[in-house]
Amino acid sequence: MTLSKRRLGTQGLEVGAVGLGCMGMSQSYGPAEEAESIATLHRAVEIGCDFFDTAEGYGPYTNEELLGRAFRDRREKVVIATKFGFKFENGRQLGAETDSRPEAIRRAVEGSLRRLQTDHIDLLYQHRIDRNVPIEDVAGTVGALVQEGKVRFFGLSEVGAATLKRAHAVHPVSALQSEYSLWERNLEVDVIPALRELGIGLVPFAPLGRGFLTGAVKRAEEYPANDTRHNDERYQGANYNANVRAAEAVLAIANAKGAKPGQVALAWLLSKGDDIVPIPGTKRRSFLEENVAADGIRLSDEDMQTLDKTLATGTVAGNRYPAWIMAGIDR
């Protein structure tokens, strides 16, 4: 199994074509077994999946600590992305409250470096825009951290085209992380054209529609209360029924190719441009290997057209987030 390489941005960041979202190893998708999580992280390195996504808010803090333990003897083989920007108090995140003041960014970076057991962060994202701090101040602060050697590359998460351009004018942005998949096409009108204009890479999170595009899904009420899908509108009632029907096109193409539906969903993303590196999340080696194998699946023009049409914007039923989370997304 050989994973191809891709570049994010024009500043020199190169990673495997499929990364690994690590959040689920610490929260949101039910319990995780640490030994299997670490085995999954180590297996990823072995098969060329070298791009790992975490954040101070995952846990909070415990996900970075997990990666620190897993990679302390192989740091030079991995590219670690983490995020700052939310407020915390007594080890708990304060809802959607943000803090990207320069001193808060520096404090967050020092914490991340300590938990990750490293002297540098490869890719540092602002997790969500802070409407009280100009994006120019954020970019300038991260730029200073780059000069100091504590950060290698600058990224943003869930921001719109105008914010991207303002930040990029102060310090080059290498990557935008946002939700993008067959399930969520919101970036196509203006954000992706802006990325291409500026030479910024795209890192889609939730590229499998939080599991829906794998075909292995249940109704919301069948998930435990500590699983985000328990409260996900797209898994509920009539929305669930409509979305199962919409996902049948993915399953049909997968069956024709002898592939898994999730692999087809990832292959669709990879076919959208060589500046796109999806980060499907998993905490198990078997699913990791399935996801990475998507790099070897080729979709025909007809396949792409079928998927584009069947899962066009507006065909998926239900909102991707509740209103209080959507309020923090910059569009």
Side-chain angles (χ1 to χ4, degrees):
M1 188 182 299
T2 302
L3 186 60
S4 62
K5 290 285 191 178
R6 293 191 167 197
R7 287 186 175 273
L8 292 171
T10 59
Q11 291 72 49
L13 178 57
E14 186 176 75
V15 297
V18 178
L20 176 57
C22 301
M23 181 183 74
M25 295 177 177
S26 301
Q27 66 168 68
S28 299
Y29 290 94
E33 182 182 300
E34 178 163 323
E36 178 61 19
S37 293
I38 289 179
T40 300
L41 293 167
H42 290 172
R43 179 60 177 154
V45 177
E46 293 171 359
I47 61 177
C49 177
D50 59 357
F51 184 37
F52 300 90
D53 185 83
T54 184
E56 63 171 351
Y58 297 164
Y61 308 136
T62 54
N63 198 244
E64 288 183 327
E65 292 169 347
L66 176 70
L67 268 62
R69 292 192 295 274
F71 294 144
R72 59 189 163 201
D73 62 347
R74 60 199 79 194
R75 177 66 180 93
E76 74 286 351
K77 297 180 179 179
V78 301
V79 177
I80 297 175
T82 193
K83 312 175 195 73
F84 67 86
F86 284 118
K87 277 187 180 179
F88 302 89
E89 188 175 279
N90 299 323
R92 296 178 65 86
Q93 184 175 321
L94 300 179
E97 291 186 47
T98 54
D99 188 355
S100 284
R101 294 171 299 159
E103 61 269 29
I105 296 173
R106 287 186 168 276
R107 186 165 57 246
V109 165
E110 292 303 324
S112 292
L113 290 171
R114 182 178 65 253
R115 289 185 290 271
L116 290 166
Q117 301 187 42
T118 186
D119 62 357
H120 69 279
I121 293 163
D122 295 299
L123 176 59
L124 181 67
Y125 295 106
Q126 183 190 39
H127 208 153
R128 290 293 186 273
I129 192 170
D130 186 335
R131 302 187 192 281
N132 297 314
V133 179
I135 195 64
E136 290 83 357
D137 292 354
V138 174
T141 302
V142 176
L145 289 164
V146 172
Q147 290 296 316
E148 295 164 22
K150 294 181 178 180
V151 173
R152 293 179 63 216
F153 302 100
F154 176 34
L156 293 170
S157 179
E158 292 279 36
V159 302
T163 300
L164 276 169
K165 291 175 181 179
R166 287 170 55 200
H168 194 70
V170 175
H171 185 84
V173 178
S174 295
L176 171 73
Q177 181 179 128
S178 281
E179 184 171 359
Y180 181 54
S181 68
L182 275 168
W183 219 233
E184 184 53 61
R185 310 281 291 276
N186 71 90
L187 305 182
E188 293 179 344
V189 174
D190 58 349
V191 174
I192 290 178
L195 295 175
R196 300 268 159 80
E197 174 189 339
L198 299 170
I200 298 171
L202 175 60
V203 178
F205 71 81
L208 300 176
R210 296 182 176 82
F212 223 110
L213 293 170
T214 67
V217 292
K218 301 176 288 188
R219 291 183 177 276
E221 59 270 22
E222 297 180 53
Y223 290 98
N226 65 347
D227 189 307
T228 57
R229 291 167 291 189
H230 184 80
N231 297 306
D232 191 324
E233 284 187 21
R234 293 180 173 177
Y235 279 77
Q236 295 173 354
N239 289 346
Y240 176 88
N241 297 335
N243 293 336
V244 166
R245 288 193 297 271
E248 288 174 355
V250 184
L251 178 60
I253 290 174
N255 287 340
K257 293 183 177 296
K260 301 283 189 180
Q263 292 175 322
V264 169
L266 291 171
W268 176 87
L269 271 174
L270 293 169
S271 298
K272 285 291 181 178
D274 59 10
D275 54 355
I276 295 176
V277 177
I279 49 168
T282 186
K283 49 197 174 186
R284 297 182 180 89
R285 283 169 284 183
S286 57
F287 294 144
L288 164 75
E289 293 179 359
E290 275 185 19
N291 293 340
V292 167
D295 186 38
I297 293 174
R298 297 293 173 259
L299 300 179
S300 67
D301 290 344
E302 182 181 356
D303 293 334
M304 292 294 289
Q305 290 166 9
T306 297
L307 293 169
D308 281 338
K309 181 178 179 180
T310 307
L311 286 150
T313 300
T315 57
V316 176
N319 294 314
R320 66 181 176 118
Y321 282 131
W324 69 273
I325 295 180
M326 289 301 297
I329 293 175
D330 174 50
R331 285 288 186 273

